[in-house]
Amino acid sequence: DGGITQSPKYLFRKEGQNVTLSCEQNLNHDAMYWYRQDPGQGLRLIYYSQIVNDFQKGDIAEGYSVSREKKESFPLTVTSAQKNPTAFYLCASSRVGRAGELFFGEGSRLTVL
Amino acid sequence: QQQVKQSPQSLIVQKGGISIINCAYENTAFDYFPWYQQFPGKGPALLIAIRPDVSEKKEGRFTISFNKSAKQFSLHIMDSQPGDSATYFCAASRDSGGGADGLTFGKGTHLIIQP
């Protein structure tokens, strides 16, 4: 079945450590996105990519980095520069020009100890 | 600046009743308005969507009403069922411009349907 796979589902990290969240899709979508979800805050865009080897900052990119070396993969690194990294992270994909029709993964919950 | 405002934050409806969630937007360049449904511990899933050239769209028990002049749209869930208990997000995007910057989401409504 086509879909988006995020891993790990749960992740704990100590302050000062970088962590990388994996996102893989087999929907053949060109566009991929990372959102952060906090209680009562909705979903906020971190980074997005419309094509391999190109990506753009979203509304809350500070403290995060991404890469897009393959069409299927869009990993997110939460760096030690992110002041409040504890959150639920969602990866999504869409066809180019159909950004309103997002397909989401099941999310990764990051907790900083 | 919050471009999509959603209300209420939480809602309790009796089984069989009508659930109504409202959203207002500011950016007139938005041309696609979807609603997403999210169950606990899962990613959101597209539920229903509308474009501004129509005032209403119905899919089963779910209806979107759209008021372009007021820049408002709402989700109505008829005959609400306990299985509809979830968090609902309204959103907006500029699909005609390629939608490169993704969706702008409201803050969500936690809906509980009481049996």
Side-chain angles (χ1 to χ4, degrees):
Chain A
D1 290 335
I4 297 181
T5 301
Q6 289 187 240
S7 63
K9 193 170 180 65
Y10 299 96
L11 184 61
F12 297 88
R13 158 197 128 172
K14 295 181 180 179
E15 284 190 13
Q17 290 181 334
N18 293 353
V19 294
T20 297
L21 307 180
S22 171
C23 179
E24 303 279 333
Q25 57 101 355
N26 60 4
L27 298 168
N28 200 31
H29 287 166
D30 286 296
M32 297 188 73
Y33 310 81
W34 275 103
Y35 284 88
R36 169 178 171 145
Q37 184 174 15
D38 297 282
Q41 293 297 315
L43 285 76
R44 292 179 291 170
L45 183 64
I46 304 173
Y47 268 97
Y48 61 96
S49 169
Q50 296 284 295
I51 195 171
V52 173
N53 292 323
D54 186 50
F55 46 83
Q56 305 297 326
K57 292 181 179 180
D59 300 320
I60 56 166
E62 185 176 354
Y64 300 98
S65 66
V66 294
S67 62
R68 187 83 187 276
E69 298 178 359
K70 299 187 301 181
K71 182 177 181 178
E72 302 80 15
S73 179
F74 192 40
L76 173 74
T77 297
V78 185
T79 75
S80 57
Q82 168 52 232
K83 300 300 182 187
N84 185 21
T86 294
F88 190 50
Y89 292 89
L90 288 158
C91 179
S93 70
S94 75
R95 290 178 289 166
V96 172
R98 306 292 288 183
E101 298 175 8
L102 293 178
F103 290 77
F104 283 91
E106 295 210 331
S108 292
R109 185 168 298 280
L110 172 63
T111 303
V112 175
L113 304 174
Chain B
Q1 180 184 11
Q2 184 186 357
Q3 296 193 61
V4 178
K5 294 183 179 180
Q6 183 172 347
S7 64
Q9 188 173 6
S10 61
L11 179 63
I12 299 175
V13 175
Q14 295 296 314
K15 178 182 176 182
I18 302 173
S19 304
I20 301 174
I21 304 171
N22 300 299
C23 282
Y25 63 98
E26 299 168 1
N27 188 346
T28 55
F30 289 144
D31 58 7
Y32 186 76
F33 302 89
W35 286 87
Y36 282 78
Q37 180 189 56
Q38 184 181 30
F39 294 105
K42 303 294 185 182
L46 179 62
L47 183 63
I48 187 173
I50 196 168
R51 296 192 182 276
D53 53 345
V54 296
S55 60
E56 184 175 282
K57 183 174 182 180
K58 183 176 180 179
E59 290 185 2
R61 296 184 294 108
F62 300 90
T63 300
I64 300 179
S65 297
F66 187 84
N67 185 329
K68 188 175 181 178
S69 61
K71 293 188 288 184
Q72 296 176 346
F73 58 110
S74 60
L75 175 69
H76 292 63
I77 306 174
M78 311 300 288
D79 186 26
S80 299
Q81 300 297 313
D84 297 330
S85 297
T87 300
Y88 292 82
F89 294 95
C90 63
S93 71
R94 296 178 296 159
D95 261 16
S96 60
D101 52 355
L103 279 168
T104 299
F105 284 88
K107 291 189 175 183
T109 296
H110 185 211
L111 174 65
I112 296 174
I113 307 301
Q114 290 187 333

